[in-house]
Amino acid sequence: MTDNTMAAGSAPAAAPISSGQASESAASANTTTFAVILSLSFCHLLNDMMQSLVPALYPILKDSYALTFGQIGFITLAFQCTASMLQPVVGMYTDKKPQPYSLMIGMGFTLVGLLLMSRADSYPTILLAAALIGMGSSVFHPEASRVARMAAGGRYGLAQSLFQVGGNMGSAAGPLLAAFIVVPHGQQSIVWFSAAALVAMIVLFQVGHWYKARRAVSKPAVRKAAGTTGAAAPALSRRRVGVAIAILVALLFSKNVYSASLGSYFTFYLIHKFGVDVQDAQLYLFAFLVGIVIGTILGGLVGDKVGRIPVMWFSILGALPFALMLPYANLFWTAVLAVTVAIIMASAFSAILVYAQDLLPGRVGLVAGMFFGVSFGLGGLGAAALGEIADHAGIEAVYKVTPYLLLLGLLTAFLPRQASLAR
């Protein structure tokens, strides 16, 4: 495939489009525009890097403000629930009225949240800052996912994986940056990362130009050829589509609640059980998050070749035996098992998202908003619930109970297997 420049496909919005121009535009749309996808992935990296600084701050905030595990969980809930509740709304709105420059505006919310978090001196202010960062995600993810699919040229799994892996890399970088910058220099050092938000806003402004130009030449027939309306609608009743969506949500629930146990509390678990210091615990968390990056890339590549459903089967049930062993392992094997679980579980997300987009053709923003939102929301609810369990039964109990949630992966057996969905 040939890479297009960021300005590829641009044309004056007011100019009439001939059949030859439409054919040329459709052909261009059917190539994978890696410049756009990689720009989105880079901004996703910066976005999630900044967001991942919030959980990386937890040990500092816990000591500075004498917070309980339950209060830590509610910080995660405040951050993820704003993203969860607003993302489907943003997705539905932009399905009808796409907003090319909304990506840049969403990054502005993250910038304000970061600045406030760096100066927060009370628990309510911390909650407000976390909520603002969540609002940034709610605007960024649905439209960025739509643009990634528009630039995919039919390689939807690869495009979503490349987009998602940027976020995973950003999440992985957060603890590393926290270990070497935030932990030594304290909460106020968060302000230094506002520069990343400004860089992302500049890049997203350019992506907005490409998006606006592409839409200007995309008549309905061209949009269909470009894949922005998705695959042909599968011959499923509304009830079966609803059941399939519910199953996908259940799969995300099992995956994300278990991921929340590692993402939010893994450092506390390592400190409590093995006596490692905060910096070393952040490095182990970094290794876990690198595993998520690897799994995301592999899941997208394999899903395009063998189908979405096999990837879902492997991703959720395949992680179960390793998750069951983790609470009984020594420090070395705890790290190995955590990374293994991360690689296997992360492979499912792009498969779930693309499968859902094929179930609901033409609703790319809604699906992206709903599933990114559900992902954030379930993780937030899971983090809050797991914090309460840790306060009452101990942090080790969390890692003995949560693996059984992965048994919900058996619901994959009830997903429709039409050819248009299984590919």
Side-chain angles (χ1 to χ4, degrees):
M1 297 290 180
T2 58
D3 292 6
N4 297 326
T5 63
M6 292 288 289
S10 62
I17 300 173
S18 68
S19 59
Q21 286 175 313
S23 298
E24 184 179 350
S25 298
S28 175
N30 279 318
T31 63
T32 306
T33 311
F34 284 108
V36 174
I37 296 171
L38 294 178
S39 294
L40 291 169
S41 182
F42 172 68
C43 292
H44 202 183
L45 183 155
L46 296 179
N47 183 73
D48 286 21
M49 176 197 73
M50 292 181 288
Q51 293 171 3
S52 70
L53 294 172
V54 177
L57 270 175
Y58 287 170
I60 295 173
L61 296 175
K62 190 175 189 298
D63 290 341
S64 298
Y65 300 97
L67 304 180
T68 66
F69 284 119
Q71 288 175 309
I72 291 291
F74 276 103
I75 296 174
T76 303
L77 183 63
F79 160 60
Q80 293 182 346
C81 272
T82 51
S84 174
M85 290 185 291
L86 292 178
Q87 280 197 48
V89 176
V90 172
M92 283 191 292
Y93 179 79
T94 55
D95 276 335
K96 297 179 180 179
K97 297 181 179 181
Q99 305 292 321
Y101 299 104
S102 62
L103 293 169
M104 182 182 66
I105 295 170
M107 194 62 64
F109 283 108
T110 301
L111 172 61
V112 173
L114 273 180
L115 293 173
L116 186 59
M117 181 68 77
S118 70
R119 300 298 177 186
D121 57 3
S122 66
Y123 184 64
T125 307
I126 292 170
L127 291 176
L128 176 60
L132 284 171
I133 296 171
M135 289 177 66
S137 287
S138 73
V139 178
F140 175 78
H141 286 101
E143 275 296 83
S145 183
R146 180 202 306 282
V147 179
R149 187 175 177 91
M150 181 182 289
R155 302 169 72 180
Y156 303 125
L158 176 62
Q160 290 298 334
S161 287
L162 288 175
F163 169 64
Q164 182 63 21
V165 82
N168 296 148
M169 291 174 66
S171 297
L176 198 62
L177 293 170
F180 293 104
I181 298 177
V182 179
V183 171
H185 299 284
Q187 178 184 345
Q188 291 73 20
S189 63
I190 292 292
V191 74
W192 300 344
F193 296 95
S194 61
L198 293 174
V199 170
M201 290 175 74
I202 293 169
V203 175
L204 291 173
F205 184 71
Q206 298 301 316
V207 171
H209 278 326
W210 180 89
Y211 184 12
K212 184 177 180 180
R214 174 59 63 90
R215 282 191 53 78
V217 298
S218 292
K219 294 296 185 181
V222 178
R223 285 201 297 269
K224 184 176 181 180
T228 59
T229 57
L236 295 174
S237 67
R238 181 171 297 184
R239 179 178 176 277
R240 288 199 68 193
V241 170
V243 169
I245 293 293
I247 290 171
L248 296 176
V249 170
L251 297 182
L252 273 182
F253 174 79
S254 65
K255 184 177 91 70
N256 287 317
V257 173
Y258 186 76
S259 294
S261 72
L262 289 169
S264 294
Y265 301 107
F266 194 44
T267 53
F268 296 113
Y269 175 75
L270 296 173
I271 292 167
H272 169 77
K273 186 169 183 178
F274 302 109
V276 301
D277 61 29
V278 173
Q279 260 188 327
D280 287 343
Q282 295 288 357
L283 295 177
Y284 281 107
L285 180 58
F286 171 72
F288 164 74
L289 295 172
V290 167
I292 292 179
V293 171
I294 295 169
T296 301
I297 295 173
L298 293 177
L301 290 171
V302 174
D304 280 338
K305 293 182 182 297
V306 307
R308 319 296 172 201
I309 290 178
V311 172
M312 292 183 219
W313 272 117
F314 172 74
S315 176
I316 301 192
L317 288 179
L320 179 61
F322 301 105
L324 289 171
M325 288 188 284
L326 189 144
Y328 307 99
N330 61 23
L331 178 60
F332 172 79
W333 285 108
T334 294
V336 171
L337 290 169
V339 172
T340 303
V341 168
I343 292 172
I344 296 173
M345 289 203 338
S347 63
F349 186 80
S350 64
I352 291 173
L353 183 63
V354 174
Y355 186 95
Q357 289 174 340
D358 288 341
L359 274 174
L360 297 171
R363 311 296 295 276
V364 174
L366 172 62
V367 170
M370 183 169 60
F371 278 84
F372 277 108
V374 165
S375 178
F376 279 117
L378 294 179
L381 290 171
L386 295 175
E388 295 296 328
I389 292 174
D391 280 334
H392 290 89
I395 193 70
E396 292 185 39
V398 169
Y399 293 94
K400 293 179 180 178
V401 172
T402 50
Y404 293 100
L405 287 170
L406 300 180
L407 289 172
L408 289 173
L410 293 170
L411 293 173
T412 304
F414 298 99
L415 286 173
R417 281 164 171 72
Q418 272 83 346
S420 60
L421 296 171
R423 68 184 184 286

